[in-house]
Amino acid sequence: MKRISTLCLLLAALWCRPAAAQTRRVVLDHQLWANLQGELALLNGDYLLLELHGENVPAYNGFGGNDRFLGFDQRAVAFSYEHFWNNHWSGGGGLQYQPSAYAKYLTPELLLRHRGKVGPLTFGQRLSAYRVFSVGNSQQYFQATPQNYLSLRADLEKVFPVGQGGLALRPRLSYEGIMHVRLQKTQTDADERTIQYTSLRGELGVRVSNHFDFTPWFAYTTSYYFSIPQYNPISGTPTADPGRLNLVTPVIGLDARFTLFAGKEVFDRRQLSTQH
């Protein structure tokens, strides 16, 4: 736990260090995300998870296009497994496939998780490394070199049982930072910010029964770039100075999870939030 906490503080220090150039913040149109999950709880306490993910940008609705499917501008399917060594430590991996008309991506991931008590709350830390491969026809449009990423997420939550029927509420707050890891940087590679992406998410999980729960949530996601100077195409006068650019996207989401138990009988287990 101490090692993960130290890494968390290090990443926070790198992200929060004073900017040498001006930082410009732009808020983009909000997005709607949906996540449908099927979870199989195993007898040893582990789980298998199948996820179907979709993203919709309401500002694009009505424009059509060949890349949209069931109203989603982006979609993905993922499969994952996680093993619990004890009440605090777990680890696992997964594989995600994200198709579109112009690019198809395959993303394997390995993760390490720690969960413990901070007073009445549960404090979680999730460290993962993943590699993005472009497959199919994506090589016609995008660079095909696989890219490596490191993700660190921290969260606080508490479960409140409601009545005697199994209903429970699970308020939760999480913060995640993602770093692009380049093992060998060439002179042609563009400069990057230390942290390329963050997400601050608040949610309220609702456990309806042992077999079904859902989670409405809201998040501010931010992508971090170095901007280039921009000029008026007619007069040639500068319209935007170079510097740090933060693109903020408000996201409204809903997760729905259906849980099946191996052996068909319900048993006690550690069930994570829908944001695995």
Side-chain angles (χ1 to χ4, degrees):
M1 179 177 180
K2 291 182 178 180
R3 293 181 179 179
I4 298 182
S5 300
T6 301
L7 180 58
C8 182
L9 292 174
L10 177 60
L11 292 179
L14 290 172
W15 176 62
C16 297
R17 64 183 179 180
Q22 180 182 2
T23 300
R24 187 161 60 98
R25 182 177 184 270
V26 178
V27 179
L28 305 179
D29 293 318
H30 72 281
Q31 297 184 6
L32 303 176
W33 291 12
N35 192 277
L36 180 62
Q37 305 175 359
E39 182 180 41
L40 176 62
L42 304 178
L43 293 174
N44 63 352
D46 299 349
Y47 69 84
L48 295 170
L49 186 72
L50 177 65
E51 298 179 85
L52 300 177
H53 175 79
E55 300 178 13
N56 174 270
V57 183
Y60 297 165
N61 291 343
F63 289 95
N66 297 327
D67 192 30
R68 306 199 75 189
F69 179 75
L70 296 177
F72 292 117
D73 304 287
Q74 296 187 40
R75 65 269 188 192
V77 58
F79 178 80
S80 59
Y81 165 78
E82 189 163 350
H83 171 69
F84 293 87
W85 292 295
N86 51 49
N87 290 330
H88 299 290
W89 289 97
S90 62
L95 184 66
Q96 175 181 276
Y97 176 66
Q98 181 180 350
S100 72
Y102 302 103
K104 296 178 176 64
Y105 297 105
L106 194 64
T107 306
E109 178 185 30
L110 294 175
L111 70 91
L112 177 66
R113 190 191 311 271
H114 180 273
R115 286 164 55 83
K117 289 293 185 179
V118 178
L121 304 177
T122 299
F123 176 55
Q125 300 170 91
R126 181 187 188 275
L127 177 65
S128 73
Y130 58 94
R131 186 173 176 87
V132 181
F133 296 90
S134 55
V135 296
N137 64 346
S138 59
Q139 299 181 14
Q140 303 176 20
Y141 303 95
F142 300 99
Q143 183 178 0
T145 304
Q147 303 296 315
N148 306 301
Y149 294 89
L150 189 66
S151 168
L152 180 62
R153 188 175 75 213
D155 58 80
L156 284 170
E157 68 175 6
K158 184 173 176 59
V159 178
F160 295 93
V162 179
Q164 303 296 324
L167 179 67
L169 301 179
R170 191 174 194 164
R172 179 173 172 273
L173 181 67
S174 68
Y175 186 77
E176 180 179 18
I178 297 177
M179 174 189 299
H180 181 203
V181 180
R182 292 187 290 191
L183 302 179
Q184 291 183 339
K185 182 179 179 181
T186 65
Q187 295 182 349
T188 58
D189 289 337
D191 291 334
E192 291 182 330
R193 308 274 290 274
T194 303
I195 303 296
Q196 283 80 48
Y197 179 87
T198 60
S199 175
L200 176 62
R201 166 170 161 160
E203 64 183 52
L204 179 62
V206 181
R207 187 178 65 196
V208 179
S209 69
N210 290 317
H211 295 282
F212 176 70
D213 60 303
F214 65 94
T215 305
W217 56 270
F218 178 79
Y220 275 109
T221 67
T222 305
S223 299
Y224 301 88
Y225 301 97
F226 283 118
S227 63
I228 61 176
Q230 300 179 24
Y231 301 91
N232 185 298
I234 299 177
S235 64
T237 57
T239 58
D241 296 328
R244 296 170 181 264
L245 175 63
N246 299 349
L247 298 182
V248 180
T249 304
V251 180
I252 301 171
L254 178 64
D255 302 340
R257 175 171 57 192
F258 297 87
T259 302
L260 298 177
F261 290 80
K264 299 183 181 180
E265 295 294 333
V266 175
F267 49 83
D268 292 335
R269 57 187 293 264
R270 295 175 295 271
Q271 187 177 49
L272 301 176
S273 68
T274 54
Q275 187 188 25
H276 286 73

